[in-house]
Amino acid sequence: MTQTEDTVHLVRETLGTDVVGIYLYGSALLGGLRPHSDIDLFAVVEQPLSTGRRRELVEGLLDLSVWPARGDEARPVELTLVVRREVTPWRYPPRCEFQYGEWLREEYERGQLPSPVPSPDLAPLITMVLLADTPLAGPRPGGVLAPVPAEDLARAIVAGVPDLLADLASDTRNAVLTLARIWMTLATGTLTSKDVAADWALARLPEAHRPVLAHARTVYVTGAEERWRELGPLVGRYAAHVVGAIEVLAGASSA
């Protein structure tokens, strides 16, 4: 079986009839998986997870998910679960029941388990799941998930900006690209892949800020070596410019 099929099997074997649907979204459907891309899966369940089931899922995902990616052979897996009644009908902020991602691996290897938490990030995730419309188990997502209002999508992605700025030094490529995608989404109302958002932003950036985003895009698309030392002094200026544009758009949308 493929890594995606193995993950779907793990969820269904662990949660049984509580599984409403499992959905593929993200890079796999937005222009294709890139060298650093995760396999993004979203599951809807009927009931909250017990501690035992959380542990089974984490232990299984620690075996299935791989970082760094080894091409198409093995990739990081990001799995997000929600309880249906927590997101349908829609309310803000929605509640995330469970999330596994490689940025959390060290915590999970120490025995910590993901807990249910309010999560604005679910707004763009659910929007992408609905747009992707790719069930791996269960009905189509439009029959399970309520659409996210545009104003809630906007405030959710803006709420993530401080965390991106905090990660600018440690996760530069992702932070640089995600800031560009937030800018594009606020300006156009569309969610797309990081490289397409980078193309959109590059056409609108002043010349002085383009090298940072161009390098991040190249690394994302080709898997080229990340070389931020030379561009280091420019990264903060790029971020400040894009955040300024985001704040203008966010202010206009809330006025």
Side-chain angles (χ1 to χ4, degrees), residues 71-208:
D72 291 331
E73 176 189 347
R75 292 181 176 274
V77 174
E78 182 175 329
L79 172 66
T80 303
L81 277 78
V82 297
V83 176
R84 175 155 55 174
R85 64 176 178 268
E86 294 290 345
V87 295
T88 305
W90 172 258
R91 80 289 308 271
Y92 187 91
R95 188 173 179 85
C96 181
E97 180 66 16
F98 174 101
Q99 187 169 56
Y100 178 93
E102 280 300 309
W103 68 93
L104 299 166
R105 175 175 282 270
E106 290 186 7
E107 297 177 16
Y108 294 160
E109 287 180 333
R110 292 196 299 266
Q112 296 185 36
L113 297 175
S115 300
V117 290
S119 176
D121 283 348
L122 284 177
L125 261 61
I126 288 174
T127 300
M128 286 190 283
V129 169
L130 290 168
L131 288 171
D133 194 20
T134 306
L136 302 177
R140 294 172 64 179
V144 175
L145 298 166
V148 177
E151 58 270 23
D152 283 347
L153 174 61
R155 66 171 168 166
I157 60 177
V158 171
V161 169
D163 286 341
L164 290 172
L165 294 178
D167 291 341
L168 200 58
S170 61
D171 192 14
T172 306
R173 169 179 45 84
N174 180 62
V176 165
L177 291 169
T178 304
L179 285 171
R181 184 157 68 176
I182 291 171
W183 182 16
M184 178 182 174
T185 298
L186 288 176
T188 67
T190 59
L191 273 168
T192 188
S193 64
K194 290 176 180 175
D195 54 317
V196 170
D199 289 338
W200 180 93
L202 282 166
R204 290 158 178 81
L205 278 173
E207 180 65 33

Side-chain angles (χ1 to χ4, degrees), residues 5 19 23 62 72 74 114 145 172 214 216 231 252:
E5 291 169 338
V19 176
Y23 306 100
L62 285 170
D72 291 331
L145 298 166
T172 306
L231 294 169

